[in-house]
Amino acid sequence: MKKWEVNIRRVVPYVPGEQPKGEKILKLNTNENPYPPAPGVRRALQEMDYGRFRKYPDPAAEELVNCLADYHHVERNRVFVGVGSDDVLAMAFLSFFNSEKPLLFPDVSYSFYKVWAELFGIPYEAVPLDETFRIRPRDYDRENGGVIFPNPNAPTGLLLGLEQVEDMVRHNQDSVVIVDEAYIDFGGRSALELLGRYENLLVVRTFSKARSMAGMRIGFAIGSRELIRALHDVKYSFNSYTMNMPSLALGAESVKDEAYFRKTIGKIVDTREKAKKRFGSLGFSFPDSMANFILVKHEKVPAEELFEALQKEGIYVRYFKQPRLENYLRITIGTDEEMERLFAFLEDYLKEHGAVQAW
Ligand code: PMP
């Protein structure tokens, strides 16, 4: 090893889902929304004055912060925005998890948590979900330097009721508790309701899923003034201009169209519920997802085999080769037509392999 190589930081990075290109590809692997963003976003994009781009964007991101504060009925100094919720979460890890005690998160969860903990040298413990993949709130009643979990959890899709979320926050008032609500719009009650009661609670959200804007990279957090101030201090110590001008303007535009937002979510939820029935009839079992994806396991065919067969067919889903998930596939909910293509293939494949009744 060369001398300078000794000083290189070695990390095991998070591996994002593939972004394959091609006309025939069906992408159900990164929980993107199959519908376009709100029509107002397109209009704003077409009218955008590109001459403005010679300047730096507003470091305080006021246009977007103000609009999110109004939408969620909170003061402006209780909102923090970033480059997708990944950026917001990374800043939150840096800001809040500085204890010698371990950060707690579920063993089956968003795999980036472990990556940030390793990157920032934060001690952590992965708390096992129960055998049905549920979070047991009592498991988090112990000394810790912070708690983070997604609700609904990913990749299980299982939702914790608001009472249980509150129970976890109430029992952990000596550390910061982060509820990662990337998928909450698809069927859950948000922990934003609890913010008035708990200054140690941070709720993190994204525009990538229900708002169909993964490509714009917009995320935000809402919490007490103290938490938001700390996030800003860390952000300004790292990069003042995290968010670019188009993201700020187009994000704000998206929030203005509530009707479109609700309609799109309604369609996805409807397709998800139909998909559950279809998966069931094909011999798959799955936790009852409240998100825009389903974690499925087939009784007879190994997940890895199905994953490869699907990929050959140009259908991309997510396979996590890790403990407890090696026989599952996480499948994003697409449009009805996209799901039909998936099911038609699965039905044929399973019949050919004698894994489902031919009728
Ligand atoms: N949290 C969870 C649970 C996720 O699944 C994702 C999506 N990969 C994110 C956060 C990050 O999403 P984004 O950075 O696009 O907002």
Side-chain angles (χ1 to χ4, degrees):
M1 197 184 272
K2 295 171 199 88
K3 275 199 176 148
W4 50 266
E5 281 183 293
V6 176
N7 296 322
I8 290 179
R9 185 185 287 259
R10 315 263 161 204
V11 282
V12 182
Y14 172 76
V15 183
E18 281 179 81
Q19 292 292 351
K21 290 184 187 73
E23 297 238 319
K24 293 243 165 74
I25 297 290
L26 173 50
K27 238 188 122 291
L28 303 175
N29 67 337
T30 50
N31 300 341
E32 288 147 333
N33 193 314
Y35 301 105
V41 172
R42 180 184 189 169
R43 237 174 289 130
L45 180 63
Q46 282 165 344
E47 287 162 13
M48 199 165 279
D49 168 19
Y50 89 102
R52 282 200 305 157
F53 296 168
R54 73 186 177 77
K55 289 193 185 168
Y56 283 107
D58 171 14
E62 273 187 26
E63 184 178 8
L64 185 60
V65 165
N66 294 352
C67 134
L68 285 168
D70 295 346
Y71 182 78
H72 289 290
H73 310 291
V74 294
E75 294 159 69
R76 293 169 177 187
N77 54 8
R78 299 186 57 184
V79 179
F80 177 83
V81 297
V83 187
S85 53
D86 280 343
D87 179 47
V88 174
L89 288 165
M91 292 292 139
F93 270 56
L94 263 180
S95 306
F96 305 128
F97 301 146
N98 296 294
S99 170
E100 316 252 283
K101 296 177 197 157
L103 167 67
L104 304 180
F105 49 78
D107 65 338
V108 177
S109 191
Y110 187 30
S111 42
F112 225 140
Y113 300 157
K114 184 176 160 211
V115 174
W116 286 312
E118 298 271 355
L119 178 65
F120 300 141
I122 300 166
Y124 64 91
E125 267 177 52
V127 181
L129 297 175
D130 75 8
E131 59 292 345
T132 62
F133 281 153
R134 292 198 177 269
I135 290 175
R136 286 177 293 221
R138 289 286 71 76
D139 291 352
Y140 294 77
D141 294 354
R142 57 196 174 93
E143 291 269 295
N144 64 66
V147 173
I148 181 164
F149 59 94
N151 197 37
N153 195 7
T156 66
L158 288 174
L159 180 77
L160 266 188
L162 191 60
E163 302 71 33
Q164 284 174 297
V165 173
E166 175 160 20
D167 182 57
M168 288 174 75
V169 182
R170 193 181 326 111
H171 282 86
N172 285 287
Q173 295 191 54
D174 291 338
S175 35
V176 172
V177 178
I178 301 182
V179 185
D180 176 355
E181 293 192 337
Y183 303 100
I184 196 75
D185 297 306
F186 300 106
R189 210 165 133 197
S190 171
L192 287 173
E193 285 181 50
L194 306 176
L195 284 175
R197 268 169 279 162
Y198 303 96
E199 293 193 325
N200 61 319
L201 170 65
L202 189 79
V203 178
V204 176
R205 295 278 195 93
T206 179
F207 279 49
S208 300
K209 316 294 176 183
R211 291 202 178 275
S212 306
M213 294 180 79
M216 275 288 127
R217 312 303 299 126
I218 306 170
F220 63 103
I222 302 186
S224 60
R225 272 170 230 104
E226 292 68 21
L227 294 187
I228 299 302
R229 194 179 307 123
L231 278 169
H232 279 128
D233 286 348
V234 167
K235 173 202 137 161
Y236 284 117
S237 309
F238 193 80
N239 175 2
S240 322
Y241 307 107
T242 50
M243 301 209 57
N244 63 57
M245 279 179 192
S247 295
L248 293 174
L250 302 179
E253 204 54 50
S254 157
V255 176
K256 290 181 194 158
D257 197 340
E258 184 66 9
Y260 181 84
F261 181 55
R262 294 287 150 211
K263 193 172 92 187
T264 309
I265 292 169
K267 285 200 278 191
I268 292 170
V269 168
D270 189 53
T271 308
R272 177 187 73 203
E273 295 309 309
K274 285 190 279 192
K276 285 178 188 171
K277 293 206 180 91
R278 199 72 185 274
F279 278 124
S281 71
L282 290 172
F284 287 92
S285 56
F286 45 87
D288 191 19
S289 172
M290 287 294 145
N292 68 337
F293 54 83
I294 304 188
L295 187 70
V296 300
K297 172 171 103 169
H298 197 268
E299 286 150 24
K300 299 200 177 121
V301 187
E304 196 165 11
E305 177 188 325
L306 273 179
F307 173 75
E308 279 160 16
L310 284 163
Q311 192 147 320
K312 263 196 211 125
E313 190 61 23
I315 302 175
Y316 283 71
V317 299
R318 195 84 200 255
Y319 176 58
F320 301 95
K321 212 171 188 165
Q322 67 183 63
R324 301 189 77 180
L325 292 179
E326 53 281 277
N327 209 18
Y328 284 89
L329 296 176
R330 191 197 67 190
I331 303 182
T332 304
I333 302 298
T335 62
D336 280 340
E337 296 70 37
E338 287 172 337
M339 297 311 277
E340 196 42 55
R341 179 173 157 201
L342 168 79
F343 289 127
F345 174 78
L346 285 176
E347 201 167 312
D348 285 350
Y349 187 89
L350 295 169
K351 268 185 209 160
E352 263 170 45
H353 291 75
V356 76
Q357 274 177 307
W359 60 81

